[in-house]
Amino acid sequence: MTDPADLRPITTEEWPAFSRAMLEVFGDEPIGSFTETPPSVAELDRSLGLFADDGRVAATAGIYSRQLTVPGAVVPCAGITWVTVSPTHRRRGVLTAVMRRQLTELHEQGREPVAGLWASEGGIYGRFGYAPATARGNLHGRTRQMAFRPDVDLGTGTVTPADADAYRAGAARVHEALRRWVPGTMERDERWWERLLRDPAEHRGRASARRFLLHTEVDGEVTGHAAFRVRSRWTDDGEPDGTVVVEEVRARSTPAYAALWRYLLDIDLVRTVESAYAPAEDPLRHLLADPRALHARPLDGLWLRLVNVGRALAARRYPAPIDMVIEVRDRFCPWNDGRWWLRGHPAGAFCAPTDGDPDLVVDVDALAAAYLGGVSLGTLQAAGRVTEVSPGAVTQAATAFSWPVSPFCPDQF
């Protein structure tokens, strides 16, 4: 039962069995009404289920319709999610069938030129053409060592605690203002804000309920927001040794950003700060008098897949001119496999199939890694993932594919 024809979208009535099968593979317990009714962000017409002979759900998958910021533009992105295969159906080609069905349909529908996912395991998705395109910093440090440089400007605005409703209203405006400038960022409509702000006790990990901050200027404009938790701890000597678990800090100005972090680092009874999903190149380090006080253990974030190489490369912008032929090797999606003529500059781009001689040869997953500007094609060449045919082509392409803002995706799905 590995034929893609056996995979099909599920119905609302089938959601309870589908969701329970998915949670069982992930090792999660049902929370709230999740296994009773589909969440508001679910798109069951874009789901895939594989049903065993006894009626059990043997495999699950889904797609969210998202909007992804890429260098200089915003493109539709298929958010791949819910991907599981029951142990009873492993090593039968089921996952390959799921991936092929999704990508083939995306190509045929022509809706999204790229697909993205968060990988539960790092060794799974590379063989299907996905690659990490953003990184999360996994930051931590001791708060008493994280004094700011004396020249850091905290501005004239105010940082105040907020309830969930006020936070949602203010943070949504900040997010919308920022998301078009940072590659890897996705839109958040009301459904996604609702999902983001859910706070079941089972997910708190011995920490407090989520707390919220807003940064407001003297004219009342909200220019920054932060969400965090506090995990209390006391040493054997009775000394406080708590941790502030920072989930998100975004701001429209440097003073607002600095003021929010200063508040977080000055919380009483806290000695450690953690921020697993902060950008890998978070500006916080450059606010500190001692940059070594902030430690990072970078991990992969959003994985990307170019569904349609021509449309994807033409959609983004290039800070330096590029005019070359790129030979893309894509064994999983044959419509991408071949040579593509790319012309791009800061105002736009063109990309189409060609029979011209290649300047570069690159695997499709390596091209996906470089797509948002966070991984250099020069680095990929050093790893043997890019072959230079025309002298100087890697330098030219690496410069053109770069972007002044590091990619960052704060939204898991």
Side-chain angles (χ1 to χ4, degrees):
M1 194 176 295
T2 60
D3 190 322
D6 296 326
L7 293 159
R8 62 170 176 81
I10 67 164
T11 65
T12 302
E13 292 73 24
E14 292 169 331
W15 172 259
F18 180 93
S19 60
R20 288 190 178 95
M22 176 175 59
L23 292 175
E24 181 177 351
V25 174
F26 281 129
D28 291 334
E29 293 293 329
I31 294 176
S33 62
F34 180 80
T35 57
E36 299 170 12
T37 57
S40 61
V41 295
E43 301 175 49
L44 297 192
D45 61 322
R46 308 194 80 181
S47 68
L48 288 175
L50 181 65
F51 292 80
D53 294 335
D54 60 3
R56 291 183 304 106
V57 180
T60 65
I63 294 177
Y64 296 128
S65 303
R66 306 300 307 268
Q67 294 288 321
L68 173 71
T69 300
V70 303
V74 176
V75 302
C77 175
I80 307 302
T81 188
W82 304 343
V83 179
T84 68
V85 178
S86 170
T88 61
H89 284 66
R90 297 278 169 81
R91 300 175 186 87
R92 300 188 189 183
V94 174
L95 181 59
T96 298
V98 169
M99 294 287 105
R100 194 176 302 282
R101 171 75 171 266
Q102 285 186 326
L103 291 168
T104 299
E105 290 186 351
L106 289 172
H107 170 64
E108 292 173 347
Q109 294 164 357
R111 293 170 57 175
E112 293 109 341
V114 298
L117 57 80
W118 286 78
S120 56
E121 295 183 67
I124 296 177
Y125 294 100
R127 66 183 186 272
F128 305 119
Y130 289 88
T134 74
R136 51 192 177 100
N138 212 12
L139 308 178
H140 66 103
R142 298 294 284 178
T143 57
R144 287 184 172 179
Q145 299 172 7
M146 299 176 75
F148 282 0
R149 298 188 336 266
D151 62 332
V152 171
D153 179 12
L154 299 181
T156 58
T158 304
V159 176
T160 55
D163 62 26
D165 289 339
Y167 176 83
R168 179 171 174 169
R173 293 194 296 273
V174 173
H175 179 83
E176 187 61 24
L178 293 176
R179 74 174 177 93
R180 296 178 181 273
W181 301 101
V182 183
T185 306
M186 295 187 171
E187 96 298 346
R188 294 176 181 170
D189 61 19
E190 289 298 312
R191 300 169 306 143
W192 285 99
W193 276 107
E194 178 186 354
R195 180 181 189 268
L196 179 71
L197 296 180
R198 285 202 304 265
D199 191 24
E202 296 90 339
H203 284 180
R204 294 175 185 171
R206 303 189 311 279
S208 70
R210 186 181 288 117
R211 303 176 184 179
F212 305 106
L213 301 174
L214 291 176
H215 182 275
T216 307
E217 301 295 344
V218 292
D219 61 0
E221 181 183 9
V222 175
T223 52
H225 62 91
F228 68 100
R229 305 177 190 276
V230 174
R231 188 164 59 236
S232 296
R233 181 181 178 275
W234 298 83
T235 69
D236 293 340
D237 298 328
E239 293 296 317
D241 193 25
T243 298
V244 55
V245 182
V246 179
E247 296 185 351
E248 182 168 68
V249 182
R250 305 297 295 277
R252 298 178 61 182
S253 71
T254 300
Y257 191 77
L260 286 164
W261 269 111
R262 192 65 268 161
Y263 183 107
L264 293 166
L265 296 173
D266 287 344
I267 293 174
D268 285 342
L269 310 182
V270 161
R271 299 295 180 265
T272 302
V273 61
E274 297 176 358
S275 187
Y277 292 94
E281 295 187 18
D282 197 289
L284 174 61
R285 183 182 306 278
H286 304 285
L287 297 175
L288 302 178
D290 178 6
R292 293 183 182 179
L294 183 64
H295 306 282
R297 298 187 296 267
L299 295 171
D300 55 283
L302 180 70
W303 290 55
L304 275 191
R305 213 291 178 194
L306 305 188
V307 176
N308 184 305
V309 165
R311 286 183 58 205
L313 295 185
R316 60 156 288 173
R317 302 295 180 258
Y318 300 85
I322 183 171
D323 187 345
M324 66 174 56
V325 175
I326 301 174
E327 181 175 326
V328 178
R329 297 177 295 203
D330 192 346
R331 298 175 183 86
F332 200 71
C333 295
W335 56 83
N336 286 327
D337 195 76
R339 297 174 181 178
W340 297 85
W341 178 26
L342 172 63
R343 289 185 298 163
H345 48 77
F350 164 86
C351 188
T354 180
D355 57 3
D357 293 334
D359 299 294
L360 290 179
V361 180
V362 58
D363 292 332
V364 71
D365 56 330
L367 191 59
Y371 182 67
L372 295 182
V375 179
S376 169
L377 286 167
T379 300
L380 293 165
Q381 181 194 29
R385 307 305 306 281
V386 176
T387 300
E388 183 177 74
V389 180
S390 299
V394 168
T395 298
Q396 180 188 354
T399 302
F401 272 81
S402 66
W403 197 250
V405 180
S406 298
F408 169 56
C409 183
D411 293 301
Q412 298 182 73
F413 49 86

